[in-house]
Amino acid sequence: MTLAQTDRLAPTHFRHSAFWQNAHLYFDRVFQTMSLDQTWRSVLTTPKRVLSVSCPIRRDDGTIQVFTGYRAQHNGARGPFKGGIRYDVSVTQDECMALAMLQTWKNALVDLPFGGAKGGIVCDPKKLSMTEKERLTRRYTSEIMPIIGPNMDIPAPDLGTDSQIMAWVLDTYSMMVGHQELGVVTGKPVACGGSVGREDATGRGVMNILRKFLATQNKQLSDVRVAVQGFGNVGYHSARLLDDRGATVVAISERASAIYDESGIDVEAAGAFYKENGTLKGFAGADEIANDELLACDCDVLIPAAMENTIDESIAPHIKAHTVVEGANGPTTPKADEILRDNGVTVLPDILANAGGVTVSYFEWVQGLDNYFWNAKRVQDELQRVMESAFDQVNAKADESDCDYRTAAYTIAISRVAEACRLKGLFP
Ligand code: NAD
C-alpha cells in the first residue's frame, strides 16, 4: 500500500482540519500562560461525545438521498450541553467538534450554566424544498434524540437554520416523548414557546459589545463607519441595530455579492431586497464591489458575520478598520490575529461578541421550563446586563494582564470550566 493510499484510509481524527487546529491553538496560547494543572489539558480539549448519524429522506421527486449529520458535545462540567445546529455543505465532524469547544468557552464567559455543543447536517439548505427540509430535520432530530433533551443537550439555530427548523425539532422530540417539551430546543418561533428577542439577540449582543468598547475610547456608535461581512441572522441584525443607533453602515456582503456606499447604506431596504432576491446583486442603493474587497474597505469597524476563517494572513495586513467585532464563530485565524494585533487593530473575540444569541437562548430555556414568558423589554435589559458585565470582566482582565481581549476572554472562560472540572473530580 502506498503512502497516499494509507493517508486516504486514515481515520478522520488523525487529519484534523485547520479550523480544529486553530481552536486548539487559541486554547493552548492561553492555557500555557495559566497556572493550571497541565494534566487537565486533555480533559479540557477533548469532546465528551461525538455522534455521527445518517439521515435518509425521500426527495420530492421520489428518490432517496442519505444525508450525514453530527452532534458534538464538548465539556458538560458547568451544565447541560448547548449549541447550534448548522445546515451547510461545509459541515464536518471536525468543524462540529471545534465549534462545540468554542461554545464551551462562550457559555462559561457569559456565565451561563451550560457546556458547549454543536451539530449540523452536510447539505445545501437552498437546494432543499420546505418539505424536504422538514423531513430531514425530523429524521436528524430522531437520530440524535438519545443525546438531546432539556437537561442533556439543547440545540439552537446557527448557519443555515432558523426558527422554523427549531419548531420541527421541538415537535419531533415532543411527539416521541409523548408530551410538549419546550426546553429541548431554543430559537423556536414565539408562537411555539420561543422567546421574544431571540431572533435579533446575537446582533443586539454585537451592538452592546461594540458600544461598550467604543465608550472606553470616548467614542459613540454614531462616530463609526461599519462594514459587515455576511447578511444572514447575525449580519443583518447587527447592521440594522447599529444603523438604528447612528452608526454608518458603509458595506455589506453575502456569499455571492457585496455592496459599498461611503455615505451609508439603507440597511432596511437592503434587508428587504436580500429577503426577496436571496442576493444583494442588483440592489440599486449602493455600488457593487468584489466580495473580498469588503474586508479591506475603508471603514472603522469590521464585523465578520459569515463563516469561520474568512480573515486569514493574506487579508489581515490590508484591513483598514481599527476594530474587528467577531459576529461569526472563528472568523479570524491565529496568524491573522497576530497580524491584526501587531497592526494595532482591536479584536473583540467571538466568544464575547456573539454571545448574545446563546444568552437569550438561555432566557428562552428558563422561560420554557417555568412556563412563564418575559416581555421584550425584560429580555433586552437582561441581555444588555449580561453582555456589559462580560465586557467589563474581559476589559478588566485585559488591563490587569496587559493582554488582548481574546486572551483575556479565554483566560476567564477556561478558568471557570477548569474550576468546575476540578471541583467535580473524575468519575468513578
Ligand atoms: P445565516 O445562515 O443566517 O447567514 C449567513 C450569511 O453569511 C448569509 O448571508 C451568507 O450569504 C453569508 N456568507 C456565507 N459565506 C460568505 C462569504 N464567504 N462572504 C460573505 N458572506 C458570506 O447564518 P448566521 O446564523 O447569521 O451565522 C453566521 C455566523 O455567526 C456563523 O459563524 C455562526 O456560527 C455565527 N453565530 C450565529 C448565531 C445565531 O444566533 N444565529 C449565534 C452566534 C454565532
Side-chain angles (χ1 to χ4, degrees):
M1 192 176 282
T2 66
L3 192 60
Q5 281 169 322
T6 51
D7 182 51
R8 269 206 302 280
L9 294 176
T12 50
H13 61 271
F14 288 145
R15 292 184 273 115
H16 285 305
S17 66
F19 187 51
W20 168 261
Q21 287 165 10
N22 291 348
H24 281 72
L25 271 172
Y26 279 133
F27 172 87
D28 281 331
R29 210 175 71 178
V30 173
F31 187 71
Q32 64 201 14
T33 67
M34 297 171 73
S35 52
L36 289 173
D37 180 348
Q38 293 295 314
T39 51
W40 282 96
R41 188 190 169 279
S42 51
V43 175
L44 290 170
T45 54
T46 312
K48 177 182 165 69
R49 186 182 287 125
V50 186
L51 182 63
S52 165
V53 296
S54 79
C55 305
I57 64 153
R58 198 171 293 283
R59 302 292 302 254
D60 291 344
D61 65 5
T63 59
I64 290 173
Q65 187 170 350
V66 181
F67 293 87
T68 302
Y70 304 102
R71 185 73 183 167
Q73 299 172 336
H74 179 253
N75 183 302
R78 289 173 48 90
F81 297 98
K82 176 115 197 64
I85 298 175
R86 178 175 281 204
Y87 287 3
D88 196 80
V89 284
S90 68
V91 166
T92 63
Q93 179 171 317
D94 233 42
E95 183 190 63
C96 292
M97 283 158 48
L99 288 165
M101 180 157 94
L102 266 185
Q103 192 72 45
T104 297
W105 313 139
K106 189 186 306 180
N107 294 345
L109 180 65
V110 284
D111 218 358
L112 306 180
F114 292 130
K118 202 71 157 197
I121 303 179
V122 190
C123 67
D124 181 350
K126 289 201 162 144
K127 293 196 175 139
L128 296 170
S129 69
M130 282 298 269
T131 50
E132 289 170 337
K133 243 193 271 188
E134 176 174 355
R135 286 195 287 278
L136 183 56
T137 302
R138 289 187 182 280
R139 183 62 190 242
Y140 171 71
T141 306
S142 69
E143 295 292 347
I144 64 167
M145 177 110 182
I147 63 164
I148 62 168
N151 295 309
M152 266 205 278
D153 182 354
I154 305 115
D158 192 71
L159 191 82
T161 56
D162 57 16
S163 58
Q164 173 61 75
I165 287 173
M166 300 308 120
W168 292 326
V169 173
L170 167 72
D171 188 60
T172 306
Y173 187 93
S174 300
M175 291 305 289
M176 290 172 82
V177 294
H179 59 267
Q180 169 106 308
E181 193 67 88
L182 287 184
V184 69
V185 65
T186 59
K188 305 180 289 292
V190 174
C192 305
S195 176
V196 289
R198 174 60 185 89
E199 178 69 23
D200 67 8
T202 310
R204 190 171 292 277
V206 166
M207 181 272 292
N208 286 327
I209 292 294
L210 177 59
R211 185 170 55 191
K212 273 293 270 184
F213 168 69
L214 290 174
T216 68
Q217 314 291 301
N218 298 317
K219 286 189 187 146
Q220 300 178 347
L221 290 173
S222 54
D223 295 328
V224 293
R225 295 163 307 142
V226 183
V228 183
Q229 182 194 41
F231 205 40
N233 177 287
V234 182
Y236 168 67
H237 288 296
S238 300
R240 180 181 64 80
L241 291 163
L242 290 169
D243 182 45
D244 281 353
R245 280 155 186 76
T248 307
V249 177
V250 292
I252 303 172
S253 68
E254 43 89 14
R255 207 181 287 262
S257 66
I259 54 175
Y260 183 85
D261 185 341
E262 65 176 355
S263 63
I265 295 167
D266 179 342
V267 177
E268 288 285 1
F273 184 91
Y274 185 55
K275 201 169 176 191
E276 193 177 335
N277 301 288
T279 177
L280 287 169
K281 222 178 237 318
F283 177 63
D287 296 331
E288 190 167 338
I289 56 171
N291 207 296
D292 49 8
E293 277 180 69
L294 178 128
L295 294 173
C297 78
D298 197 14
C299 65
D300 304 306
V301 175
L302 173 63
I303 305 181
M307 300 281 294
E308 52 263 23
N309 295 343
T310 56
I311 302 180
D312 61 14
E313 73 238 58
S314 68
I315 192 72
H318 307 291
I319 286 178
K320 299 188 186 75
H322 57 63
T323 305
V324 172
V325 192
E326 294 185 333
N329 285 312
T332 313
T333 66
K335 277 192 181 145
D337 199 49
E338 271 172 38
I339 295 169
L340 293 175
R341 206 172 35 246
D342 290 348
N343 289 349
V345 179
T346 301
V347 178
L348 298 168
D350 46 9
I351 63 169
L352 173 66
N354 73 31
V358 71
T359 301
V360 177
S361 271
Y362 167 58
F363 300 159
E364 181 178 331
W365 181 70
V366 168
Q367 293 169 67
L369 296 181
D370 274 1
N371 276 301
Y372 182 77
F373 293 88
W374 307 357
N375 62 23
K377 180 170 183 329
R378 180 169 176 194
V379 170
Q380 289 171 15
D381 288 351
E382 292 272 327
L383 172 63
Q384 185 174 338
R385 182 186 60 74
V386 170
M387 297 305 287
E388 293 191 350
S389 158
F391 178 85
D392 285 340
Q393 291 168 45
V394 172
N395 196 37
K397 187 80 195 167
D399 276 351
E400 173 197 313
S401 307
D402 193 20
C403 65
D404 59 279
Y405 283 117
R406 193 187 309 278
T407 304
Y410 265 68
T411 306
I412 296 169
I414 294 170
S415 305
R416 287 182 181 158
V417 179
E419 179 69 349
C421 289
R422 188 186 66 76
L423 288 169
K424 283 180 151 177
L426 293 179
F427 176 86

